[in-house]
Amino acid sequence: MSPIRLVLFLATLALASACGTRFTCDAKSCPTGCCNASSGRCEVGNTAEQCGANGATCSACSAGQQCSAGACAANGGTGGGSATGGGAAGGGATAGGSSAGGGTAQATTSFYRDVLPITQVRCAGCHRMGGIGPFPLETYAQAKPMAAAMKDAVVAKRMPPWMPDNSCGGPFVDDRTLSQAQIDTLAKWADEGAPEGNPADAPAPPGPVGQLPRVDATLTMTEAYTPSATLNDDYRCFLIDPALSGNRFVTGYDIQPGVAAEVHHVIVYIVDRNAARTKDMNEAGPGWTCFGDSGLQSPGPIGAWAPGTGAVIFPSNTGIQLTANQVLAMQIHYNTNNGVRQPDQTAIRIMYSAPGASPTAAYLLPLVADGFAIPPNATNYSYSETFPNPTRALTIRVWGLMPHMHTLGKRITIKGPADACLVDIPRWDFHWQQQYFRMTPFSIPPSGSLTMSCTWDNPTTRTVRWGEGTNDEMCFAYVYATL
């Protein structure tokens, strides 16, 4: 990619500054859970401190009660919590019940009643069979031996991974942040020996978490490719043909790296079929060399993958259009610093809009801040760049952002005018990258600008600049926007 300040995918589409106030929910604006009137945020219901049905205002349960099926009920009462555990005469306390001697026993936690409602929503996107988590947490048998590790991870707030500062730009869709009450519940469950409880207390499955709700096409590299034996950073593009008979809108995707240990990142560009075939035929072996971008004219990508990215579902009634004469150029950056060089066949699962639907066309716009030079042994070196709206004529609706740096990155922030914060990743972690979508878009006026700032530590003895290699750095973001 030749260094540029801002690339427009359409001549009529421009990127500009953010305006407006922070989102404040109401009883109708929360797609799931309930609206916390005190914070103005949508939160997941069905927990002890957030009790409410979809679209409702969150209400806390009083002492001695728990939230079950969106209603507050006495512990062990009609809210669906069944007594489990001992229950024998002589003072044995039951889970959520009372002792036979008449004294009230402190309620215990159980997997089905207390833990599963949390892990289904906050953990199962990664910790499921076939997910990117190192172990699944879908069943009691899977979760019990991991109880101590779960406690350690959530108390230290390493898990679930959620990188944005929630005071900036949010609330974001699918926020995985745990409340303190949820952390306390998981810790208490581990301390009590991870009791199972009554399977009848299990909540209904929430549907696919961290997955596409529907897969309309699975497109795989037609031939496996083994990264270069001489290059540690090998950029290669592969022609992926959706074979469409007419125009379709991509409304979600899930990129599946074949060999995750060598795939640094993936970008899937829209390109012309004939041009891509010619490019592919002109170079021996699968695909073609493509540093920076696809090497072909493109209206832009449909999506990208980096470590930590799961399935991406675009905001409702929006999508990126593909025409019948277009194919995909899947650019894969292979990094083999760790010595892994294995045949790779990366794939992409695609969800299209329903037949007859007319989503609003969306675009992934890149912000490229490439003018930095990080000195040797520098700490907290920062660089900022501002991106004005070139058209000065159109208002853009921004739904989400995907920030990107390499391994020296420390912090990345994108702001609008008057320091309106859109996204802030205060503790950058290369291994947890994703797109962050707002529940409602924010408008960017024609005369404004966006400012992106990046901060790095450089423990090396060399000056580090923008570059495609893993040992180089980037200050970059994709912006998902509509008119």
Side-chain angles (χ1 to χ4, degrees):
M1 180 187 299
S2 57
I4 53 176
R5 297 297 181 265
L6 179 64
V7 177
L8 290 177
F9 290 134
L10 292 181
T12 59
L13 196 60
L15 197 57
S17 68
C19 67
T21 59
R22 286 184 56 196
F23 175 83
T24 300
C25 66
D26 56 38
K28 296 181 180 180
S29 61
C30 294
T32 59
C34 51
C35 176
N36 186 322
S38 61
S39 67
R41 295 178 180 273
C42 295
E43 297 178 330
V44 175
N46 203 29
T47 63
E49 83 289 2
Q50 296 162 199
C51 191
N54 289 359
T57 299
C58 301
S59 58
C61 296
S62 61
Q65 291 186 320
Q66 65 185 42
C67 179
S68 179
C72 296
N75 287 330
T78 59
S82 300
T84 60
T94 62
S98 60
S99 65
T104 300
Q106 183 176 2
T108 61
T109 57
S110 75
F111 174 76
Y112 292 107
R113 187 188 63 213
D114 305 297
V115 173
L116 189 58
I118 300 172
T119 58
Q120 277 185 338
V121 176
R122 293 293 193 256
C123 309
C126 297
H127 290 275
R128 56 182 171 80
M129 296 301 295
I132 64 174
F135 50 84
L137 292 173
E138 297 174 290
T139 68
Y140 175 69
Q142 294 164 347
K144 181 181 179 180
M146 306 308 301
M150 291 167 64
K151 173 188 174 181
D152 180 70
V154 301
V155 169
K157 299 188 177 180
R158 295 190 306 273
M159 290 285 153
W162 185 252
M163 310 316 294
D165 180 342
N166 286 338
S167 67
C168 167
F172 295 106
V173 175
D174 295 329
D175 183 342
R176 291 189 294 266
T177 306
L178 294 180
S179 67
Q180 188 58 50
Q182 291 171 323
I183 293 172
D184 293 344
T185 294
L186 296 176
K188 187 169 182 280
W189 180 65
D191 291 342
E192 292 176 346
E196 180 177 12
N198 189 340
D201 293 341
V209 176
Q211 305 174 65
L212 295 177
R214 184 184 72 255
V215 176
D216 296 313
T218 299
L219 309 176
T220 306
M221 294 163 52
T222 56
E223 186 178 351
Y225 175 76
T226 302
S228 168
T230 59
L231 297 173
N232 284 343
D233 289 294
D234 184 4
Y235 279 75
R236 198 79 176 174
C237 282
F238 305 94
L239 192 161
I240 307 291
D241 194 344
L244 297 177
S245 58
N247 297 351
R248 299 294 299 271
F249 280 88
V250 176
T251 57
Y253 66 89
D254 188 2
I255 296 173
Q256 301 283 310
V259 183
E262 64 189 16
V263 176
H264 179 281
H265 72 254
V266 180
I267 303 177
V268 182
Y269 294 94
I270 303 170
V271 295
D272 176 79
R273 175 180 283 105
N274 292 333
R277 285 177 174 172
T278 300
K279 193 80 169 175
D280 195 14
M281 293 173 59
N282 286 342
E283 190 168 332
W288 63 92
T289 303
C290 58
F291 282 97
D293 55 24
S294 68
L296 297 167
Q297 288 188 342
S298 171
I302 65 166
W305 176 94
T309 304
V312 174
I313 302 171
F314 295 143
S316 179
N317 297 318
T318 72
I320 296 177
Q321 188 177 46
L322 279 175
T323 64
N325 66 333
Q326 290 174 329
V327 295
L328 303 175
M330 179 183 286
Q331 183 208 56
I332 303 179
H333 173 189
Y334 294 102
N335 177 259
T336 54
N337 283 344
N338 61 6
V340 177
R341 281 187 174 87
Q342 298 177 10
D344 173 72
Q345 263 186 302
T346 291
I348 179 172
R349 298 168 181 164
I350 294 179
M351 181 173 67
Y352 295 116
S353 60
S358 299
T360 299
Y363 310 88
L364 281 176
L365 309 174
L367 301 180
V368 181
D370 59 357
F372 57 84
I374 312 170
N377 301 310
T379 58
N380 293 319
Y381 174 87
S382 294
Y383 176 78
S384 298
E385 196 158 333
T386 297
F387 304 89
N389 179 355
T391 69
R392 306 293 196 273
L394 299 173
T395 295
I396 306 302
R397 290 159 60 85
V398 172
W399 295 81
L401 305 104
M402 183 179 184
H404 176 69
M405 295 192 292
H406 287 181
T407 56
L408 300 183
K410 194 172 184 179
R411 182 175 190 170
I412 182 167
T413 304
I414 301 174
K415 293 184 177 182
D419 283 337
C421 197
L422 306 184
V423 67
D424 179 18
I425 312 295
R427 290 176 297 280
W428 174 259
D429 187 336
F430 176 82
H431 300 286
W432 292 109
Q433 303 180 56
Q434 68 180 84
Q435 293 188 50
Y436 302 103
F437 292 105
R438 284 177 59 95
M439 294 182 180
T440 57
F442 51 83
S443 296
I444 298 182
S447 60
S449 60
L450 287 177
T451 298
M452 182 165 60
S453 302
C454 292
T455 302
W456 302 267
D457 285 345
N458 180 13
T460 74
T461 57
R462 60 188 178 88
T463 299
V464 178
R465 294 181 171 86
W466 174 280
E468 306 292 343
T470 304
N471 294 328
D472 301 316
E473 266 302 333
M474 289 189 179
C475 183
F476 179 88
Y478 276 123
V479 178
Y480 185 85
T482 63
L483 290 176

